[in-house]
Amino acid sequence: MVTMGALNFLLTTLTIVMSISTTTSQSPIQNFISCFSHNSTEVIYTPNKPSFSTILNTKILNKIFKQATTPKPLAIITPKDASHVQATVKCAKRNNIQIRIRSGGHDSEGFSYVSDVPFVVLDTLHLNSVDVNVQEETAWVESGATNGKIYYNIAKKSNSLAFPAGVCFTLGSGGHYSGGGYGNMMRKYGLSVDNIIDAKIVDASGNILDRKSMGEDLFWAIRGGGGASFGVILSWKIKLVQVPPQVTVFNVSRTVDEGATDIAYKWQLVAPKFHKDLFIRVVHNVVQIGETGKKIMQINFVGQFLGTIERLLPLVSESFPELGLKKSDCISMPWINSTVFWYDSPIGTPIESMLDGPKESEAIYFKRKSDYVKKPIPKEAIESLWKLMIEGETMFIQWNPYGGRMEEILPSETPFPHRAGNLFMIGYFNNWIDESHGNTKNHLNFSKSVEKFMTPYVSNSPREAFLNYRDIDVGVNQHSNVTKFDIAKTYGSKYFKDNFDRLVSVKTKVDPDNFFRDEQSIPTRS
Ligand SMILES: Cc1cc2nc3c(=O)[nH]c(=O)nc-3n(C[C@H](O)[C@H](O)[C@H](O)COP(=O)(O)OP(=O)(O)OC[C@H]3O[C@@H](n4cnc5c(N)ncnc54)[C@H](O)[C@@H]3O)c2cc1C
Ligand SMILES: *[C@@H]1O[C@H](CO)[C@@H](O)[C@H](O)[C@H]1NC(C)=O
Ligand SMILES: *[C@@H]1O[C@H](CO)[C@@H](O)[C@H](O)[C@H]1NC(C)=O
Ligand SMILES: *[C@@H]1O[C@H](CO)[C@@H](O)[C@H](O)[C@H]1NC(C)=O
Ligand SMILES: *[C@@H]1O[C@H](CO)[C@@H](O)[C@H](O)[C@H]1NC(C)=O
Ligand SMILES: CC(=O)N[C@H]1CO[C@H](CO)[C@@H](O)[C@@H]1O
């Protein structure tokens, strides 16, 4: 009697024989598919499958890269198991096909799902478990787990534990952590990468490594150097941090008539020196008022305090009385509810909402840029910036205060180099929802105008930039006869400063063939 196992074996052998015998006449992608199909056929989507577009598009947040003319992958692989990731790497490498790795899909330049050479997308969609160990105050989180899912699962187990990471619930830990990961607890606990204690990765040879087997160099590199240059992150082990049972939040808004210029100026002097428990972000918005639709600036001071209202008020009135923070502006709530507040959801929104996946309808066109500020920006410059923003209409800007834990960590401790000496980081968010205000070209040009305007007020030589706010312009080199390595040195020094050299050394050691690459990856030393 022929058992199912034997039958499967026969069929598999037959498939292997067939695929080997036809290898020469097949294209690289056909070879990739036959190679991969030995392991699994249910997790691979080719363009002829009806669900291909849905799987590709659901996580594309930036509509600039969602056009009919945008290059599409030859296949999408959605591994359910580490062996599927290993097979993807081995089969792609063997057949000279590039892979793009996608977790949350929030890359601002679309690097996780677009390439100009033949490629497949490896999407960590199903690798999304979160396993919290309350006794140890740690968790293993897979790379496809979102911020929302991670926060939710921590809070289900404990109301005194949390994790420092970004505000947006749909960011994936695969990209978000490997590029740094900052949020409103960074003055107290640093970045996500400062709180990672182990990781599992599939390297360019298809091996699964953990911290011990990858060694401290590679473990250093993936904590801020971008995962995509080094391998596929399967999971992270994170060290959870302590939060009080109630935290306090506020969101006060001031216009120029209400003294916003003086308050924003003063914020630069005091916000980086506040007690570590206090984080106040400045959000600069263009808003329309009244019947006339006149555009003015509205400046929001959005705060998080890891403590009670009673402790917060004297701290603010002592060092920052200009803000005029009142008791009635403040609300106390468990940390988990505060994450929903920071995500801009109305008070009272159930915390289950943080588990929602991305919605295709939420896709927008956007361009990101970042800057680091080391000396206060003069009042006149702040007002000129606001005038420029009112002309452009579509941009909002965030100032995120440094200091606290951020300046205690040495720049070389992780690849993320922007530590002591910075007063704050600027995020420039140029978002537009349709093309009616002009075309993409004009919006991109506007972002560049703002960048140019800011030059005298921000870091220079290099003009530092934040990897997670990926910007293709960061690699633009003024000279025409430059090599690929020169271009890499340009973006590398801005994203990583002195850490670039060590990243190149690690890369050369672990991926000498430069299999894991994109337009802004770490190059091998030639
Ligand atoms: C709405 C929005 C809000 C944001 N808020 C914050 C914030 O508060 N704080 C902050 O620090 N950043 C923030 N960011 C930036 C965000 O951290 C980066 O865009 C980050 O790269 C997103 O990671 P992802 O996995 O969601 O994106 P993806 O597009 O999937 O990946 C981004 C990069 O990481 C690589 N990558 C993804 N998964 C893996 C993996 N498993 N192994 C190896 N490489 C991988 C990709 O190939 C790509 O190069 C925000 C971005 C957006 C769009
Ligand atoms: C703060 O208030 C402004 C309106 O004044 C609103 O647009 C913004 O979403 C609020 N931010 C948060 C985090 O609640
Ligand atoms: C916090 O969220 C929980 C769950 O959604 C909800 O029951 C509770 O009322 C919220 N508390 C506050 C203070 O918002
Ligand atoms: C780009 O923007 C600047 C200032 O906003 C403007 O002066 C210039 O004409 C624009 N260039 C193009 C090509 O649109
Ligand atoms: C361009 O190449 C020439 C010849 O190799 C060299 O002399 C020159 O310095 C290069 N220019 C720059 C900007 O690198
Ligand atoms: C091509 C490839 O990577 N095949 C792998 C399929 O999975 C088994 C184990 O699950 C591996 O041993 C093979 O190497």
Side-chain angles (χ1 to χ4, degrees):
M1 199 178 123
V2 181
T3 63
M4 278 309 280
L7 191 61
N8 272 337
F9 175 75
L10 273 176
L11 283 174
T12 313
T13 315
L14 194 65
T15 324
I16 293 173
V17 171
M18 279 169 57
S19 60
I20 289 174
S21 62
T22 52
T23 293
T24 44
S25 60
Q26 284 189 346
S27 65
I29 184 63
Q30 285 169 322
N31 287 334
F32 170 85
I33 291 167
S34 4
C35 171
F36 186 82
S37 301
H38 300 155
N39 273 43
S40 167
T41 48
E42 47 161 339
V43 298
I44 183 161
Y45 297 84
T46 43
N48 55 356
K49 280 205 190 171
S51 41
F52 178 85
S53 303
T54 315
I55 295 210
L56 177 65
N57 287 330
T58 308
K59 280 196 205 162
I60 298 185
L61 191 66
N62 195 345
K63 278 182 153 175
I64 296 179
F65 307 107
K66 207 177 191 173
Q67 306 299 312
T69 49
T70 309
K72 304 286 186 267
L74 298 166
I76 305 169
I77 298 93
T78 58
K80 290 192 167 160
D81 184 276
S83 71
H84 298 156
V85 177
Q86 293 176 286
T88 306
V89 169
K90 287 181 190 161
C91 297
K93 199 171 179 190
R94 198 173 298 166
N95 292 294
N96 242 326
I97 287 179
Q98 197 174 90
I99 74 170
R100 289 298 162 114
I101 314 159
R102 184 165 73 172
S103 288
H106 281 39
D107 193 282
S108 30
E109 300 287 358
F111 286 8
S112 57
Y113 52 84
V114 184
S115 171
D116 54 9
V117 300
F119 71 110
V120 296
V121 167
L122 187 155
D123 192 311
T124 61
L125 182 69
H126 300 302
L127 301 177
N128 66 4
S129 69
V130 177
D131 190 4
V132 179
N133 183 332
V134 176
Q135 281 70 42
E136 231 188 52
E137 301 186 355
T138 61
W140 272 105
V141 303
E142 286 188 300
S143 54
T146 58
N147 272 349
K149 184 167 180 181
I150 295 166
Y151 296 161
Y152 182 87
N153 279 279
I154 295 170
K156 276 272 140 183
K157 291 256 180 108
S158 161
N159 65 1
S160 62
L161 294 175
F163 190 67
V167 158
C168 175
F169 289 149
T170 49
L171 300 179
S173 80
H176 180 49
Y177 294 0
S178 63
Y182 82 91
N184 53 37
M185 290 195 290
M186 74 172 162
R187 302 193 67 256
K188 173 94 171 186
Y189 293 117
L191 307 174
S192 304
V193 286
D194 301 325
N195 297 279
I196 290 175
I197 51 178
D198 204 341
K200 292 199 177 113
I201 183 173
V202 171
D203 73 4
S205 309
N207 299 317
I208 299 178
L209 308 173
D210 65 3
R211 179 173 184 170
K212 197 154 172 249
S213 50
M214 80 177 82
E216 288 304 303
D217 269 344
L218 181 52
F219 184 62
W220 173 85
I222 57 174
R223 284 174 299 147
S229 293
F230 300 98
V232 183
I233 315 279
L234 295 172
S235 55
W236 306 102
K237 187 179 189 183
I238 59 179
K239 179 84 192 106
L240 303 179
V241 301
Q242 293 285 338
V243 286
Q246 298 272 310
V247 307
T248 302
V249 296
F250 58 85
N251 179 7
V252 299
S253 134
R254 300 285 184 261
T255 61
V256 174
D257 291 345
E258 294 164 339
T261 314
D262 290 339
I263 308 172
Y265 179 79
K266 178 73 184 289
W267 175 92
Q268 304 177 89
L269 312 178
V270 293
K273 298 205 178 84
F274 283 146
H275 190 283
K276 278 182 188 175
D277 287 342
L278 178 58
F279 174 93
I280 302 181
R281 166 182 287 174
V282 187
V283 188
H284 311 238
N285 288 300
V286 179
V287 295
Q288 296 199 354
I289 48 161
E291 300 280 284
T292 58
K294 183 171 183 257
K295 294 183 192 73
I296 61 160
M297 290 306 296
Q298 185 187 64
I299 312 305
N300 281 84
F301 296 83
V302 192
Q304 166 112 331
F305 182 63
L306 298 171
T308 59
I309 300 180
E310 290 64 37
R311 229 184 99 216
L312 167 67
L313 287 174
L315 280 182
V316 176
S317 58
E318 197 177 294
S319 59
F320 196 22
E322 295 81 354
L323 184 60
L325 187 70
K326 298 191 300 289
K327 188 171 182 187
S328 57
D329 296 321
C330 304
I331 316 167
S332 285
M333 56 179 74
W335 170 75
I336 193 66
N337 299 63
S338 79
T339 65
V340 179
F341 166 86
W342 277 90
Y343 196 46
D344 271 358
S345 301
I347 301 280
T349 303
I351 59 170
E352 277 68 26
S353 64
M354 58 206 289
L355 297 171
D356 295 347
K359 293 186 186 66
E360 265 211 81
S361 57
E362 285 166 2
I364 46 167
Y365 297 84
F366 68 91
K367 178 69 185 177
R368 289 273 157 103
K369 285 183 181 292
S370 58
D371 261 319
Y372 286 87
V373 178
K374 296 172 196 290
K375 53 181 201 299
I377 303 173
K379 285 183 194 172
E380 310 74 61
I382 296 174
E383 288 187 332
S384 303
L385 170 65
W386 290 346
K387 279 208 192 90
L388 188 58
M389 288 175 71
I390 288 172
E391 277 168 34
E393 294 182 18
T394 51
M395 183 182 284
F396 73 96
I397 290 179
Q398 284 181 359
W399 289 359
N400 288 293
Y402 269 52
R405 183 80 186 117
M406 288 301 286
E407 67 184 25
E408 295 168 0
I409 299 172
L410 289 177
S412 58
E413 213 159 298
T414 71
F416 177 96
H418 322 288
R419 303 282 187 172
N422 292 299
L423 299 176
F424 56 101
M425 176 188 78
I426 306 182
Y428 305 89
F429 304 76
N430 193 1
N431 291 359
W432 59 104
I433 48 170
D434 57 42
E435 290 292 75
S436 64
H437 295 288
N439 58 31
T440 294
K441 212 177 93 216
N442 290 337
H443 287 293
L444 296 181
N445 178 49
F446 177 68
S447 290
K448 277 197 179 150
S449 308
V450 173
E451 179 178 38
K452 192 164 166 220
F453 171 83
M454 291 301 289
T455 307
Y457 312 112
V458 299
S459 66
N460 60 66
S461 325
R463 184 163 182 173
E464 298 171 38
F466 178 36
L467 179 64
N468 266 353
Y469 287 165
R470 195 197 299 287
D471 171 10
I472 197 78
D473 304 335
V474 161
V476 172
N477 196 303
Q478 301 311 316
H479 308 299
S480 54
N481 59 346
V482 293
T483 65
K484 269 193 172 167
F485 194 86
D486 293 329
I487 293 171
K489 251 164 60 185
T490 303
Y491 59 73
S493 67
K494 294 177 182 178
Y495 287 141
F496 310 112
K497 299 180 74 180
D498 293 343
N499 295 324
F500 178 67
D501 274 350
R502 183 171 173 198
L503 286 167
V504 172
S505 300
V506 178
K507 170 74 178 182
T508 307
K509 200 168 80 188
V510 303
D511 182 18
D513 301 328
N514 199 17
F515 171 66
F516 290 109
R517 66 182 184 277
D518 59 40
E519 295 81 345
Q520 288 189 342
S521 55
I522 305 296
T524 52
R525 212 184 296 286
S526 40

